[in-house]
Amino acid sequence: MSALETLGSHLAVARVRRKESLATRAKRIEVSIPTLMRLESGDPSVSMGIYATALWLIGRDGELARIASPEHDKGALEMNIQEAIDLGKARAKVARKNRASVKPPPAE
């Protein structure tokens, strides 16, 4: 099941638990009943704004800002880690080169 299908399913459960009909919820979100049904099935063609409104109705719209927060961006974190590894390797290479080019002190 995709993330949107799961979200749609959770929104459907929230509607049913609140004892709201499709017609009532559709009116509150300001969409047609077929659009609400597509939302509850996780249809990706339903606009993000409609999903956001549905989340707002159940008091969960605040989660949207956290979804793509930088501290949860695994791709960027992996890039940062790889950049740090590459930088460490480059510095180690320069340090080895510098040590090799330094003449040892004369023996006494």
Side-chain angles (χ1 to χ4, degrees):
M1 182 177 271
S2 76
L4 281 179
E5 289 172 334
T6 301
L7 175 59
S9 174
H10 291 173
L11 290 168
V13 168
R15 177 184 57 79
V16 170
R17 290 176 71 191
R18 288 165 173 76
K19 299 179 177 27
E20 283 191 16
S21 67
L22 283 168
T24 300
R25 180 56 61 98
K27 185 176 179 180
R28 291 183 71 200
I29 298 176
E30 299 181 351
V31 296
S32 66
I33 292 173
T35 298
L36 178 60
M37 293 172 68
R38 289 188 3 254
L39 173 140
E40 290 185 351
S41 70
D43 186 332
S45 70
V46 174
S47 82
M48 184 66 183
I50 295 171
Y51 279 101
T53 302
L55 288 166
W56 175 77
L57 284 176
I58 63 169
R60 300 291 291 164
D61 56 307
E63 296 301 312
L64 289 173
R66 287 185 276 283
I67 290 172
S69 63
E71 62 268 18
H72 298 297
D73 186 350
K74 290 181 182 177
L77 291 172
E78 288 171 2
M79 286 175 53
N80 289 345
I81 291 168
Q82 188 58 52
E83 288 170 3
I85 290 169
D86 294 344
L87 179 61
K89 287 179 180 178
R91 287 182 177 172
K93 184 177 180 179
V94 168
R96 280 192 306 273
K97 184 178 177 182
N98 287 341
R99 282 193 304 269
S101 66
V102 174
K103 293 181 182 180
E108 293 181 22

